[in-house]
Each structure stands twice: as C-alpha cells, then as structure tokens.
Amino acid sequence: MNAIMESDWNVVGILGAARGAQGAADGDAIGTEHLLAGIVTAKGAAPEALAGAGATKTVLVAVLRDRTDRDSAWGGTDDNEGSVAAKDVLGEDGDERGRFTGAAARALTAAMGQARQEGAAKFGAVHLLRGLLAEDNRAVETLGTCGISPRAVLARLEGDTGAEGEEDGLFPLLHPTREVLLGRSQYRQMPFWKRWLVKRMGINWASHPAWWVRMETYEQARRLGDRAVGSEHVLLAILATHEVALRYPHLLRQGAPAPDTRYEGGERLARLGIDYASVRTELTGGRVRLAADARPVEQYVDETAGPGGAPAAGAGSESRTDPGTGPLVEILLGEETRARRLIDAMTTGPRG
C-alpha cells in the first residue's frame, strides 16, 4: 500500500460532510456516493466541475435521499464487503470508529497517488474527485442517474466549459427556472435568510410543485416586466415547472407518491396543446385582450396550496403531502380568470 498522505483543509470538510450524508450509525462504511456529496459542499474547481455538469448539491442530496435505506435501488455494493478502517486509509486524520467501503478507500488512495505524482504536499478535492471517477462505483452510478458522464465532469476539470451535460432541450426562456431547480440560483423575492436556508438544505423544488408554482408565479411576472401579478403568470408558472421537472426525472422521483399526480395540472394543459413557449409568445404578442381576474391571484394559489405552506427545510418530500398543480388548474379553468381567457383564445379562438 502507498504511504498515507495528509489531506488539505478542503478535504477535511468534505470528509465531515460525507459522514453527514451517510447519516448512519458508527461502524457503517462511508461510500463513494457520500464522498461525492461531500465534494459539492466544498469550494473550488472540483465542486464547480460537478455543478457545471448538473451535479449540484441540490441534485445529489435529492438522489441520495431517494435511495436512503433502499440498497435495492443501487446497481452495485461499492465493495462494502471489503470495507477498510478509516485510520488505515487516512492515518491520524481518520475517524477512530469510521470505515470506508472498499471502493471509497481505493478512491482516497488513488487521490493520494495523484497528489504525490504532482509533487503536492497534501491531496485535495480535485485529486479526490478524479479518484472517485477512476472506476465503476456508486459515485459514478449516482452521476449516471443524473444523466451525467464522468467524462463530462473530467472535461470541466480541465477547463472545458462547453463539455457535454447541459443540452436538456428546454426552451431558452426556461433556463432561469432550471437554474432554480438545480440550486444554482434562488428566487430573489425570498428574504435572504430563506434563500440561505434553501441552498444550505438542498431543497428539491420538484418534489413540492404547489409551493414551487407559488414562487415561480412572481418570478414569471418579474421576467415579463409586469407589476401586477395575474392568473396568466400562474399559468406560466405551472407550465414552466412542469416542463423543467420532466427534464430532470431524478429530481421528480424523490418521495413521489404512487401514482404520482402532483403535476396533473401541467399534464392537463399539455393535453390541450398548451405549452410554455406558446403562452409566452401569446402574452408578449398582445393579441389577446385580458380582462381583470375575478379575484386576487393570491386567493387562487392559497386555496390550492394545501396545509402547511412551504416545504420543511431539510426534510424529504414525504414529510408533507403536496397537493400538486391539478387543483390549481381546475380553479383557473373553472372561474373567469385571465388564464382561462388566454387558454380559450389559444384553443378555440377568441370569443365575441
């Protein structure tokens, strides 16, 4: 075995975050998927390469939460049967009672070898990320679940910002909604402390569609430059969240009920032939004259948001039943709303 090399302070933090991501009792081994989740909590080139490819903290936390206590969800064991004591891998830096799976131990050893070849005094996050991507393990499987190849991440480590991994086929004006979902951006209307909490806890908006639509409604109005918020902005928000969520099924699956009806509102609109791009074009073209909504838009959203309001920070989506977007579309189409008038004009032509 190669001589043990000391880790830098960044890796010390990553190892602590990996233990937190594992969330198991002492003696259970930390796997490569936990080390990967630890890296995205750090600073520097390694987490930036992962985030650029789509593996943000929000994404990885959602995937790992969805697989917690479900070994059957994994394709491999990460060589858990070959687990190694942390001190045998990290020396004095290792936790007294900690263990690493065989795959995680090999990744750490490979990271030390790379650092040694470069003449570095300590091994860092970039060395660790390369070590994790050097063989098939649960870290690589986690990325695969997100539709991300190790090659795309490694290319970004080399500075290739045009590497594969971001061609999701979305309408370009939906990219801001995508950035919020992936945790690379936050809703500016939220107070600072709430933005900080959402980012820190890795809230997965896709598992809370009713609350996501509420936040997205005001953002859609802002992007259009509209001071008054109307039901047409709610309509845009329903379509935006639905179309973005469909592109990221690994986020959509977290804590999903069976059957999953949370996005029924967006699906209903899609069956009518309505999509985000067409509604956005109709609104900016000014062809349809929209009368005032029968009620303030907040009432439509509040009546269909379900009990409890915002998702609990840090909790999985199973902690609260989200009513989804079906009830909201039902009320928008059932009353004299600007959204209904717009949909009528797009599906049956303008009324006299």
Side-chain angles (χ1 to χ4, degrees):
M1 179 180 288
N2 292 327
I4 293 172
M5 175 177 276
E6 186 179 357
S7 59
D8 65 17
W9 282 108
N10 211 12
V11 173
V12 171
I14 289 170
L15 294 173
R19 283 192 291 273
Q22 176 206 36
D26 289 339
D28 287 353
I30 293 173
T32 57
E33 73 274 28
H34 305 124
L35 292 174
L36 185 70
I39 289 175
V40 295
T41 67
K43 302 289 185 183
E48 288 171 5
L50 286 167
T56 62
K57 177 181 177 179
T58 297
V59 170
L60 294 185
V61 166
V63 172
L64 294 186
R65 280 178 182 159
D66 188 51
R67 296 187 174 201
T68 298
D69 299 325
R70 288 201 304 123
D71 280 343
S72 61
W74 294 98
T77 66
D78 218 51
D79 191 15
N80 192 56
E81 62 275 11
S83 66
V84 181
K87 283 196 169 295
D88 290 345
V89 181
L90 298 173
E92 293 303 315
D93 290 341
D95 190 301
E96 189 70 39
R97 293 172 293 181
R99 299 189 69 80
F100 293 105
T101 64
R106 289 192 294 273
L108 287 161
T109 300
M112 295 177 194
Q114 292 171 29
R116 194 175 292 110
Q117 289 176 2
E118 295 175 6
K122 301 178 180 181
F123 77 93
V126 169
H127 302 121
L128 178 55
L129 180 55
R130 288 194 177 120
L132 288 172
L133 302 182
E135 64 172 73
D136 287 335
N137 51 41
R138 285 191 174 181
V140 171
E141 184 179 342
T142 300
L143 292 176
T145 299
C146 304
I148 300 167
S149 72
R151 183 176 64 252
V153 177
L154 292 171
R156 287 179 178 275
L157 274 180
E158 299 302 322
D160 182 3
T161 57
E164 64 174 287
E166 205 68 346
E167 291 299 324
D168 50 25
L170 283 171
F171 182 55
L173 291 178
L174 287 175
H175 288 171
T177 307
R178 177 195 69 191
E179 295 301 284
V180 169
L181 175 61
L182 298 183
R184 295 192 294 219
S185 179
Q186 298 290 335
Y187 286 117
R188 62 182 67 188
Q189 68 265 32
M190 291 193 300
F192 173 79
W193 69 267
K194 189 171 289 187
R195 293 199 304 270
W196 176 85
L197 193 61
V198 166
K199 183 175 182 179
R200 176 178 174 82
M201 303 310 296
I203 294 296
N204 176 12
W205 290 106
S207 63
H208 305 278
W211 188 255
W212 190 14
V213 165
R214 173 193 286 271
M215 302 303 298
E216 185 69 21
T217 292
Y218 296 96
E219 185 65 12
Q220 288 294 328
R222 187 193 67 78
R223 291 175 198 163
L224 280 169
D226 296 338
R227 292 187 177 183
V229 180
S231 61
E232 72 273 26
H233 303 116
V234 181
L235 176 63
L236 281 172
I238 292 169
L239 292 166
T241 54
H242 180 231
E243 292 174 28
V244 171
L246 288 179
R247 293 300 195 282
Y248 295 90
H250 48 287
L251 296 178
L252 192 59
R253 284 194 297 266
Q254 187 200 353
D260 188 359
T261 59
R262 295 172 301 171
Y263 285 84
E264 176 56 33
E267 292 170 7
R268 180 177 177 182
L269 293 171
R271 290 193 294 270
L272 292 173
I274 302 294
D275 63 14
Y276 180 86
S278 62
V279 172
R280 190 70 153 63
T281 300
E282 199 72 36
L283 284 172
T284 54
R287 185 178 68 87
V288 181
R289 296 175 59 187
L290 299 177
D293 286 313
R295 295 188 284 156
V297 70
E298 292 82 2
Q299 291 186 16
Y300 302 123
V301 176
D302 289 344
E303 285 182 15
T304 57
S317 59
E318 66 277 7
S319 66
R320 175 171 292 136
T321 301
D322 190 288
T325 58
L328 185 51
V329 169
E330 184 69 32
I331 198 171
L332 290 181
L333 296 181
E335 296 188 13
E336 288 298 326
T337 63
R338 291 164 66 88
R340 175 180 170 179
R341 188 177 182 86
L342 182 60
I343 291 172
D344 285 348
M346 295 176 66
T347 57
T348 63
R351 293 179 176 179

